[in-house]
Amino acid sequence: MPQTLLALAALVTAGLFTLSQVQTEHSTVQAVVQDQFELAVGGTLLHAIEFADSRAFDEFTTPERLRTRYGLPAQMTRADRDTISFDDLIDIQPTDFSPPGNFGGNTCSIQNPSTTATTCDDLDDAHTSTWQSVDLATADGSSIPVEVLIEVDYVEAATGAGMDTPVNYRTFHKRVTAYARTSALRNQDGSERPVEVSLRRVLSFDPKVAAEYLRRSIRVEGEGDPLCDAEVAQWNATAAVLRDALDVARTAQAAAAQVLSAAADALAAAQDANAPFEQAINTALAERNAADQAQTNARDAEQAALDRALQTLRNYSYFYNGTYYFDNQQRLDQFIEERDAYFDRVDERIAAETRYTNAVTAYDNAVTAAGDSRAAIAAAQDVYDAAAEAAQDATDDAVDAQRDVDDH
């Protein structure tokens, strides 16, 4: 009976170890997928921030409003335009900006900005009061539905504590907070597992940038463009280089995403392949522990049987001329029974020690057999970590390339 109970305990322990291993592997796979989704949604956040940054700082600092403010026409001769010191002309103060709370109106389309170019020309317009749907393209040609929300607030400073809390008065600094969320990810039972991330950046009014936008908005008579032909050619050449760089960056980003996905699959496969080895280790460990306990119990039982036999021998016999003599036949029979019981306990102790030795060997063999599998998991994890870092770098490069195009 004790051995049966020990065997049942070993099976229960092995089952619990196996369940724990499966739960751990499932959690790891979920974490891998979660990382990929957060990486993709994070790229959408960066796009949303750059979308807002590409607008004029305020409704009253768009080129059209500045021309009206300074009485400048939409077109003049190059000679007349070249006489204007645009940098010295800009004298904007915070009181010239839009008042707090007067932002937004859902006039910007983040998904298709060209459709709202006339109604979304300044940073305030980027403020949205409702979530906008944005389709995030994936490397395999499909898309992930993502919702984006942008909030714009005045803050006291561009860095430090001054950027943490919105203020209810106008300053030279506006904080843009972009939120992105998706419910495309599912738990194992099919329920939604929402992913929501946010990113913020403080944008400050730069009079030199406003001056350059103002200069470029004034068309030169007879040239059909605010810039001369040489400037146009140079601008177009630079734009082409930047667009090519953006295409390369986006291709690299897609390739890095594919590598990351493959690395995640390889990691999951390595963990699946290792599961039987871990189960074998857990089973062997449970048997080793049970055998160790059985060995201890057998030794205790052997010692107790020996103590009983010796106690009977001392209490009910006497030694004479090399022989023990008992008081009566009953005591002799008792001693013989206890002696035989002791020999049985010796046999059980030897069997328990043999079982423990075999269990230790089986456990060591299981650990050795899992060595290559565990090494494969470690290698797959290293590859995944490197792929995740490369994917993040590729995303950063793509964002930088998009920023260069937008700034140009």
Side-chain angles (χ1 to χ4, degrees):
M1 178 62 72
Q3 291 182 348
T4 303
L5 293 177
L6 287 173
L8 289 174
L11 290 174
V12 172
T13 303
L16 291 175
F17 272 116
T18 302
L19 177 60
S20 176
Q21 182 69 24
V22 171
Q23 290 176 334
T24 300
E25 291 177 1
H26 178 66
S27 298
T28 301
V29 173
Q30 280 192 325
V32 168
V33 176
Q34 180 96 8
D35 288 344
Q36 294 185 59
F37 266 73
E38 289 184 357
L39 182 64
V41 175
T44 304
L45 281 181
L46 292 172
H47 171 72
I49 292 291
E50 296 305 324
F51 169 84
D53 192 17
S54 64
R55 270 62 191 164
F57 181 79
D58 192 85
E59 177 184 359
F60 294 96
T61 62
T62 61
E64 293 76 12
R65 289 296 188 102
L66 292 177
R67 287 203 307 269
T68 301
R69 177 187 179 95
Y70 299 115
L72 298 175
Q75 179 174 303
M76 62 174 59
T77 64
R78 177 170 294 280
D80 289 340
R81 196 187 70 173
D82 290 345
T83 61
I84 301 174
S85 177
F86 289 93
D87 287 347
D88 297 334
L89 192 64
I90 303 299
D91 58 354
I92 300 293
Q93 297 299 318
T95 52
D96 298 316
F97 298 145
S98 301
N102 193 31
F103 297 161
N106 296 320
T107 59
C108 293
S109 172
I110 301 175
Q111 175 78 11
N112 299 298
S114 61
T115 61
T116 56
T118 58
T119 60
C120 182
D121 56 358
D122 63 86
L123 185 57
D124 304 347
D125 294 333
H127 180 93
T128 57
S129 57
T130 58
W131 292 87
Q132 287 195 29
S133 297
V134 177
D135 292 329
L136 179 62
T138 60
D140 60 1
S142 59
S143 62
I144 300 174
V146 178
E147 291 184 310
V148 177
L149 181 71
I150 299 178
E151 294 180 349
V152 180
D153 302 286
Y154 281 111
V155 291
E156 183 59 36
T159 59
M163 65 175 288
D164 294 335
T165 306
V167 296
N168 60 357
Y169 51 86
R170 289 168 277 197
T171 71
F172 281 120
H173 313 285
K174 290 179 180 178
R175 188 184 68 187
V176 180
T177 305
Y179 303 89
R181 67 185 184 186
T182 179
S183 297
L185 195 59
R186 292 290 188 274
N187 290 310
Q188 192 175 20
D189 60 1
S191 60
E192 291 185 356
R193 183 151 59 94
V195 175
E196 183 168 339
V197 292
S198 62
L199 180 66
R200 63 178 48 175
R201 181 184 298 173
V202 174
L203 306 177
S204 301
F205 176 71
D206 188 341
K208 291 185 178 297
V209 173
E212 179 60 17
Y213 282 161
L214 176 59
R215 186 185 74 84
R216 288 172 177 262
S217 72
I218 300 176
R219 303 177 64 86
V220 176
E221 293 179 358
E223 297 182 6
D225 191 274
L227 307 177
C228 65
D229 293 341
E231 290 176 319
V232 170
Q234 182 179 4
W235 188 92
N236 288 336
T238 302
V241 171
L242 293 176
R243 283 194 295 270
D244 290 343
L246 177 59
D247 290 341
V248 170
R250 285 176 173 172
T251 300
Q253 183 184 21
Q258 288 181 328
V259 171
L260 179 60
S261 178
D265 293 341
L267 177 59
Q271 291 169 339
D272 290 342
N274 184 59
F277 292 100
E278 295 299 331
Q279 182 176 357
I281 290 175
N282 294 335
T283 301
L285 178 60
E287 168 59 16
R288 189 188 72 176
N289 292 338
D292 187 30
Q293 184 62 51
Q295 176 180 247
T296 300
N297 294 341
R299 287 171 178 169
D300 292 342
E302 177 188 3
Q303 186 62 48
L306 178 60
D307 291 342
R308 284 193 298 270
L310 292 176
Q311 185 68 29
T312 299
L313 186 64
R314 285 192 295 266
N315 291 342
Y316 303 109
S317 71
Y318 60 92
F319 186 77
Y320 175 72
N321 199 20
T323 304
Y324 283 97
Y325 295 92
F326 283 84
D327 297 340
N328 53 58
Q329 184 63 39
Q330 181 180 359
R331 294 303 182 184
L332 176 59
D333 293 341
Q334 177 183 347
F335 173 74
I336 293 174
E337 180 181 350
E338 292 173 347
R339 181 200 61 186
D340 292 342
Y342 166 69
F343 289 147
D344 290 341
R345 301 294 85 76
V346 170
D347 292 339
E348 291 174 359
R349 186 260 302 165
I350 294 173
E353 289 176 343
T354 301
R355 176 190 175 190
Y356 177 73
T357 300
N358 293 336
V360 170
T361 301
Y363 174 76
D364 292 340
N365 291 339
V367 171
T368 301
D372 292 341
S373 180
R374 286 178 168 179
I377 289 180
Q381 185 66 58
D382 291 341
V383 171
Y384 173 78
D385 293 342
E389 182 177 357
Q392 184 60 60
D393 291 342
T395 298
D396 294 341
D397 291 342
V399 170
D400 291 340
Q402 182 65 60
R403 182 189 299 114
D404 291 340
V405 171
D406 292 341
D407 290 345
H408 185 66

